């Protein structure tokens, strides 16, 4: 069992923005979802865990080794797929993986070839191994990104907004791949897409303006708002009035009609119907709370 432990992590950039605000978190094997809107501090936290930047204060340990002081340790144990995965032009998938594997310390040529072939097969790119990576579609490039992240048998993999820009079919294929490899190692999925976390992760946290707001199991969060989410279809012109009167956590247009989801311990009025809550409802609920508290 692997354990990644973050304690009182802080990071402020030169422009005065506090990107990470006293974050404490413990993560073990499996898929861990880090949710939050753009600018919440997710990418900053991922870069700090990956050793790409140092925190101003706090400690990070992987299996009891301090990885802030010993960045070489985490780099040997880590696979990282950043939000923007750049590739060299005019280099085939196989040759690029071979180059990256050598950089990761896989020095035995036979072992390196076996690992690369197995990974290309795992991510369903074996038949494209001799194609230049820059010609790949977005989904193929992300699957290639997972292959390079798995080089060297890492104990921790970080994927930052991995499905942004993918079509639904590629997104589903990518998520299935993540799920397959996420049983024996730590995979941290940083995203603003609630559906990805709901489908994949057994544990999660939500960040907002650099702070860690909640941390736990998705099912616990859904249970916390059971019996308190209500739906009503209204005229679009009445939206402002409803938002002033009720705790509207989300709105959705369906076939030109506006549906609102409201959080309330009791039925708001006779025309509302109770909904079985979803993780998305909880996410909107907690985000609404944070915005109200900071407004």
């Amino acid at each position: 069992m692997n354990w990644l432990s973050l304690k009182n992590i802080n990071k402020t950039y030169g422009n005065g923005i506090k990107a990470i605000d006293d974050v404490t978190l413990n993560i073990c094997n499996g898929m861990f979802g880090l949710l939050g809107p753009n600018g919440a501090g997710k990418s900053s936290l991922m870069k700090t865990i990956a050793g790409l930047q140092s925190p101003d204060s706090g400690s990070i340990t992987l299996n009891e080794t301090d990885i802030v002081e010993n960045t070489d340790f985490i780099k040997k144990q880590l696979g990282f797929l950043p939000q923007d995965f750049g590739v060299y032009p005019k280099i085939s998938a196989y040759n690029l993986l071979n180059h990256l594997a050598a950089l990761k310390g896989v020095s035995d040529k036979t072992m390196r070839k076996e690992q690369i072939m197995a990974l290309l097969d795992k991510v369903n790119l074996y038949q494209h191994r001799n194609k230049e990576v820059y010609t790949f579609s977005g989904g193929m490039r992300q699957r290639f990104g997972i292959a390079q992240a798995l080089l060297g048998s890492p104990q921790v993999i970080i994927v930052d907004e991995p499905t942004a820009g993918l079509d639904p079919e590629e997104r589903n294929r990518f998520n299935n791949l993540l799920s397959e490899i996420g049983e024996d190692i730590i995979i941290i999925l940083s995203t603003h897409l609630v559906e990805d976390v709901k489908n994949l992760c057994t544990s999660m946290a939500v960040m907002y303006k650099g702070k860690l707001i909640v941390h736990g199991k998705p099912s616990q969060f859904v249970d916390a708002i059971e019996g308190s989410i209500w739906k009503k279809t209204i005229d679009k012109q009445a939206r402002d009035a409803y938002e002033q009167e009720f705790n509207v956590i989300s709105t959705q247009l369906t076939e030109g009609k506006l549906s609102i989801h409201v959080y309330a311990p009791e039925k708001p009025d006779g025309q509302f119907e109770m909904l079985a809550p979803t993780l998305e409802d909880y996410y909107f609920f907690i985000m609404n709370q944070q915005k109200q508290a900071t407004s």
Side-chain angles (χ1 to χ4, degrees), residues 175-290:
N175 284 342
N176 286 337
L177 175 61
L178 282 182
S179 183
E180 285 176 22
I181 63 178
E183 296 181 3
D184 301 319
I185 59 176
I186 295 172
I187 297 184
I188 304 174
L189 174 66
S190 172
T191 183
H192 67 280
L193 297 174
V194 181
E195 188 177 352
D196 286 352
V197 173
K198 177 188 72 175
N199 293 339
L200 295 169
C201 301
T202 55
S203 186
M204 61 172 282
V206 179
M207 287 188 75
Y208 183 72
K209 291 188 175 179
K211 288 182 176 290
L212 195 69
I213 307 303
V214 292
H215 173 213
K217 295 183 180 298
S219 58
Q220 293 173 333
F221 297 137
V222 173
D223 289 346
I225 56 172
E226 181 71 43
S228 300
I229 303 298
W230 309 85
K231 178 183 176 182
K232 185 176 182 180
T233 301
I234 64 171
D235 291 331
K236 285 182 280 188
Q237 292 81 3
R239 175 175 176 169
D240 289 345
Y242 274 90
E243 287 182 340
Q244 289 179 10
E245 185 175 355
F246 301 106
N247 186 5
V248 178
I249 59 172
S250 66
T251 61
Q252 185 176 14
L253 272 172
T254 306
E255 296 180 351
K257 296 182 179 180
L258 187 66
S259 293
I260 60 172
H261 285 200
V262 166
Y263 173 83
E266 298 179 354
K267 192 170 187 176
D269 69 33
Q271 294 180 310
F272 278 91
E273 61 175 301
M274 182 186 290
L275 289 178
T278 65
L279 186 61
E280 190 170 64
D281 287 321
Y282 179 82
Y283 176 71
F284 285 132
F285 165 67
I286 200 74
M287 283 295 105
N288 197 41
Q289 277 192 331
Q290 295 303 312

